[in-house]
């Protein structure tokens, strides 16, 4: 009987220690979308000849938070073809862009190409499917290559 009690207590102690270690060394949780922002502004990339993948988001938006890993993955895949900008809709400095792009829901992903004065909104129905997102972005890149862009 004593042996069973000691074994039970030992198991509980091991579980508690394991839980504490996992909790202490686990990745940061409850990230906000702005925690993913690398600080590049629209003003910095607007004058370049490279299109921009713009994400309009809000830190309080749960859909924005769920989308962030996909946006981060898109950045890794398309870093050579696009600049990436995140615009927090709650920051007053971004108000001009929010109005210029007619933003009314979050997250909103838009391809902005100042070289050809073009804005393309990616449908929010595909935000959950990385293959569909890539398909739409690749379609844009194919079309852009067909257009003669003056430098």
């Amino acid at each position: 009987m004593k042996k069973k009690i000691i074994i039970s207590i030992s198991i509980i102690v091991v579980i508690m220690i394991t839980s504490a270690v996992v909790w202490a060394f686990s990745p940061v949780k409850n990230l906000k979308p702005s925690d993913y922002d690398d600080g590049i502004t629209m003003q910095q990339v607007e004058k370049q000849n490279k299109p921009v993948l713009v994400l309009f988001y809000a830190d309080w938006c749960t859909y924005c938070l769920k989308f962030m890993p996909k946006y981060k993955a898109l950045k890794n895949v398309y870093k050579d073809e696009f600049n990436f900008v995140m615009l927090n809709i709650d920051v007053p400095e971004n108000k001009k862009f929010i109005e210029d792009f007619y933003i009314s829901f979050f997250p909103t992903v838009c391809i902005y190409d100042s070289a050809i004065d073009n804005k393309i909104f990616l449908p929010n129905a595909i935000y959950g499917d990385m293959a569909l997102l890539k398909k739409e972005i690749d379609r844009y890149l194919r079309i852009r290559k067909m257009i003669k862009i003056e430098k």
Side-chain angles (χ1 to χ4, degrees), residues 42-91:
M42 274 297 269
Q43 292 86 354
Q44 290 171 317
V45 299
E46 215 172 22
K47 295 177 176 90
Q48 297 180 13
N49 197 24
K50 197 173 180 183
V52 183
L53 201 72
V54 184
L55 170 65
F56 293 91
Y57 72 94
D59 276 336
W60 46 263
C61 170
T62 56
Y63 297 109
C64 298
L65 182 57
K66 288 179 185 177
F67 179 68
M68 293 316 300
K70 288 185 179 58
Y71 186 74
K72 186 176 179 181
L74 289 174
K75 285 172 79 169
N76 290 333
V77 172
Y78 293 103
K79 63 184 173 216
D80 295 331
E81 291 88 1
F82 288 95
N83 287 311
F84 287 80
V85 174
M86 293 176 57
L87 295 176
N88 187 335
I89 58 102
D90 291 324
V91 174

Side-chain angles (χ1 to χ4, degrees), residues 73-123:
L74 289 174
K75 285 172 79 169
N76 290 333
V77 172
Y78 293 103
K79 63 184 173 216
D80 295 331
E81 291 88 1
F82 288 95
N83 287 311
F84 287 80
V85 174
M86 293 176 57
L87 295 176
N88 187 335
I89 58 102
D90 291 324
V91 174
E93 292 82 26
N94 296 333
K95 184 177 180 184
K96 174 192 177 297
F97 297 108
I98 293 163
E99 291 171 354
D100 288 349
F101 284 77
Y102 309 105
I103 302 302
S104 61
F105 60 89
F106 324 106
T108 296
V109 179
C110 176
I111 297 172
Y112 174 62
D113 197 337
S114 62
I116 57 175
D117 191 26
N118 194 15
K119 298 175 193 168
I120 297 174
F121 291 88
L122 299 179

